[in-house]
Amino acid sequence: LYRENYYGNNFGNFAPAMNNQVAQVSAMANLLYDFNAFGAFVPYIGAGLGIAFIDAQSSLANTQFAYQGILGVGYNATPNLRFNLEGRYIGTTNPQVAGTSWTNNNVALLACENTMRNTKVERSQILAGVRFVDAGVVHIMKRQSQGWSYVRP
């Protein structure tokens, strides 16, 4: 699996190979479980363990433990042909760039409860896994004071 992430930070002279992107090549061993193996539609879950080679100061120079969770559904078109639609969460242990350890797994989706109240949206209408903050603007200001960056599309 090859994955490339773009971000707004530039490590300057410390990591010249990165140039505002992180590249990762992973090799995984996966275990999958089918819930309805002989039906037309086959929901499944899985997990994988492996190794990730992360682009740091030189091409793919940082080696990390990698893991993934898999959730999907397959359609058995024929006994020998199956089409799958799946999602994966892939993470690694924390790589080091220029001697500083950083995490590449801290992604969260937050919903502002003030905006939800004003637009009459209930928590039950929000997707599972979304976390809530009282005031989104205040949360952003706190994060910026902690050194986080605010990126606008």
Side-chain angles (χ1 to χ4, degrees):
L1 176 70
Y2 175 78
R3 170 173 86 159
E4 188 168 4
N5 297 330
Y6 291 92
Y7 57 91
N9 294 330
N10 189 342
F11 291 94
N13 295 330
F14 295 108
M18 293 182 77
N19 297 327
N20 289 332
Q21 63 188 21
V22 175
Q24 174 181 315
V25 175
S26 302
M28 299 275 193
N30 298 317
L31 180 63
L32 299 172
Y33 177 77
D34 291 342
F35 287 102
N36 183 21
F38 301 106
F41 290 94
V42 183
Y44 61 92
I45 61 171
L49 299 175
I51 190 167
F53 304 98
I54 300 171
D55 185 3
Q57 292 179 346
S58 60
S59 185
L60 304 176
N62 201 319
T63 304
Q64 298 295 317
F65 171 74
Y67 53 91
Q68 67 180 341
I70 305 165
L71 182 65
V73 63
Y75 173 70
N76 290 326
T78 70
N80 296 322
L81 178 63
R82 178 166 135 176
F83 296 99
N84 291 332
L85 177 64
E86 68 182 28
R88 293 175 183 237
Y89 173 83
I90 300 173
T92 66
T93 52
N94 298 338
Q96 287 198 356
V97 175
T100 303
S101 182
W102 58 282
T103 180
N104 61 353
N105 302 319
N106 285 339
V107 177
L109 183 58
L110 305 175
C112 172
E113 290 185 321
N114 283 342
T115 302
M116 291 171 55
R117 274 191 295 277
N118 291 336
T119 57
K120 297 179 178 24
V121 174
E122 301 291 326
R123 279 187 173 215
S124 61
Q125 295 174 284
I126 303 295
L127 295 172
V130 175
R131 297 186 335 213
F132 301 93
V133 295
D134 292 328
V137 173
V138 173
H139 184 77
I140 290 171
M141 290 170 44
K142 286 180 183 176
R143 291 293 196 210
Q144 284 179 316
S145 71
Q146 296 169 349
W148 292 54
S149 297
Y150 178 63
V151 180
R152 294 181 58 170

